[in-house]
Amino acid sequence: TILPLLVALSLGAVAVPAAAHDLHINTDQCNYSTDYDVFVTHAGVRFEREDGTPSKVFMHDGQLRIDGRNVTVSDADARSLREYETQVRTALPEIAGIAHEGVDIGFSALTKVAATFASNGSERDNLMDRLNRKHADALRRIDETLGHGEWRHDAIEDAVKDTVEDAVPELVSTVAAGAVKAALSGDEAQVAALQARADSLDKSIDREVDARADKLTVRAEGLCKRFAAMDDMQKQWQFRLANGTPLELLHWDKSHNHHKHAHKDDVATSR
């Protein structure tokens, strides 16, 4: 929903904050969203959506076009549009960085689990190889979208599901197999050793994840301030859509459910 994000990505028993989802920044005090896919190029910034009108908004250097029609704007609005465009351009790289770090945190936790519970060197090497490939694929998909100035609603969510979340069941199976094997052996020392490894791993992951997630939260809160400033800008725009409503590219989502706002008869006019 808007330019990312801070949501919790559940990784089996490991909860890792900071996965990008739906161009959506969601902290305790920040929940901005956009209904549009966003494309940033040298020629300008495009906002596009399939449902609702306007469906296409383009801005560059103070000029505005909505659904293919040029919109006359005041000098003040032109200055504001230039600043809005600049804010979008600088926000996307920061969003990409947050997405990168979120994925890195998740895979760091997963690789620690694999290294701790793999039953032998061969199994560990195979698991680590698959995790490394999934990790690289997730980062590549972020780079191919956000890294190239494109935000599409489901792109990062799909990347997480296809890579991070997809790796969890295999690791759960590995951990469960080790626990079952230890239990069936009847060797209390082996069971105790497995439990000690699990406890140590849990503390280690908590320390690493908490420290990195706290830093990521600070970055997300910085984005929230940027979005609040952008929201203030759009509320000050003097031009109006044909039905008299303001153009809203960004909104505060009180429901936390990414509700779409469909506007009717929204061809822009100048007020």
Side-chain angles (χ1 to χ4, degrees):
T1 311
I2 100 169
L3 328 197
L5 48 184
L6 200 62
V7 299
L9 171 62
S10 178
L11 301 175
V14 182
V16 182
H21 174 74
D22 256 13
L23 267 187
H24 187 78
I25 299 294
N26 181 12
T27 65
D28 290 341
Q29 299 178 336
C30 184
N31 194 45
Y32 284 105
S33 298
T34 183
D35 295 339
Y36 294 87
D37 291 338
V38 184
F39 304 90
V40 176
T41 69
H42 293 299
V45 175
R46 303 193 328 269
F47 300 83
E48 298 182 357
R49 61 180 176 178
E50 293 183 0
D51 299 324
T53 55
S55 60
K56 294 181 180 181
V57 177
F58 175 84
M59 64 176 64
H60 182 56
D61 193 25
Q63 298 181 11
L64 181 67
R65 187 166 65 247
I66 297 180
D67 287 340
R69 297 181 60 178
N70 292 329
V71 179
T72 300
V73 300
S74 67
D75 290 343
D77 280 350
R79 289 192 295 271
S80 180
L81 286 166
R82 289 188 187 95
E83 177 60 22
Y84 199 95
E85 178 182 355
T86 297
Q87 291 296 326
V88 174
R89 288 182 179 278
T90 54
L92 284 186
E94 177 63 6
I95 293 168
I98 290 175
H100 258 263
E101 177 65 4
V103 168
D104 285 344
I105 291 173
F107 275 101
S108 176
L110 293 176
T111 54
K112 285 182 180 294
V113 173
T116 300
F117 289 104
S119 60
N120 55 63
S122 177
E123 181 182 51
R124 181 173 58 252
D125 290 345
N126 287 335
L127 275 173
M128 297 293 279
D129 180 63
R130 288 195 289 275
L131 286 173
N132 288 337
R133 283 189 278 112
K134 288 180 181 295
H135 188 183
D137 183 47
L139 296 181
R140 175 186 59 78
R141 291 167 70 169
I142 292 171
D143 290 340
E144 289 178 349
T145 52
L146 283 171
H148 282 78
E150 295 184 7
W151 172 260
R152 297 177 185 272
H153 277 277
D154 297 328
I156 292 181
E157 181 183 7
D158 289 345
V160 170
K161 286 182 177 180
D162 293 345
T163 55
V164 184
E165 293 184 13
D166 186 53
V168 172
E170 185 175 9
L171 284 181
V172 171
S173 177
T174 297
V175 174
V180 170
K181 182 178 179 180
L184 293 178
S185 71
D187 186 339
E188 294 183 2
Q190 184 178 355
V191 173
L194 184 66
Q195 183 61 52
R197 284 157 56 196
D199 291 344
S200 176
L201 176 66
D202 186 47
K203 293 177 182 178
S204 174
I205 289 178
D206 279 349
R207 285 194 300 270
E208 178 179 346
V209 168
D210 286 349
R212 296 176 71 177
D214 286 345
K215 292 179 180 179
L216 205 54
T217 297
V218 172
R219 294 178 68 178
E221 288 173 347
L223 275 178
C224 188
K225 293 178 181 178
R226 183 194 299 268
F227 297 144
M230 293 168 65
D231 189 24
D232 287 342
M233 277 184 239
Q234 68 180 13
K235 288 176 180 176
Q236 297 301 315
W237 289 338
Q238 298 176 11
F239 63 86
R240 288 294 182 267
L241 302 172
N243 64 359
T245 61
L247 174 65
E248 187 180 66
L249 299 172
L250 175 71
H251 62 263
W252 180 271
D253 187 354
K254 294 181 180 180
S255 70
H256 290 206
N257 289 324
H258 313 289
H259 290 319
K260 302 287 184 179
H261 297 283
H263 301 293
K264 297 181 180 179
D265 302 322
D266 289 358
V267 176
T269 60
S270 180
R271 188 177 68 176

